[in-house]
Amino acid sequence: KTERSDALETVEKTLREAYEAWFTGHIEEVLFEERVGENGLEYAVGHTTRYTKVFVEVQKDTLLPNETKTVLISGEKMKDGVLGQVCSL
């Protein structure tokens, strides 16, 4: 059972990484839901309309929860999502 479970986890990880990589360079609408600290930086965290988790580095009092912003996905891998940057349109 452990062997099958490990194999499925490997497949899931490979598929998730390929799916997230597809977003690299794309502009997506992101609904931000929370703020988290990681590696000494603060990030707003939200999801695209396709449920991809996106992290955007923020300064104090910017990107509050329940805000929707247009984000360029950089593709850099974060803990369980990808890094993006708010577009200035």
Side-chain angles (χ1 to χ4, degrees), residues 20-38:
E20 290 172 347
W22 180 87
F23 285 93
T24 300
H26 284 83
I27 294 175
E28 296 286 329
E29 291 296 312
V30 176
L31 172 62
F32 291 96
E33 300 155 343
E34 64 179 329
R35 293 172 75 123
V36 298
E38 189 171 310

Side-chain angles (χ1 to χ4, degrees), residues 28-33 47 49 63-71 86:
E28 296 286 329
E29 291 296 312
V30 176
L31 172 62
F32 291 96
E33 300 155 343
H47 290 85
T49 56
L63 287 178
L64 301 173
N66 298 318
E67 278 191 87
T68 300
K69 295 287 184 179
T70 303
V71 174
V86 173

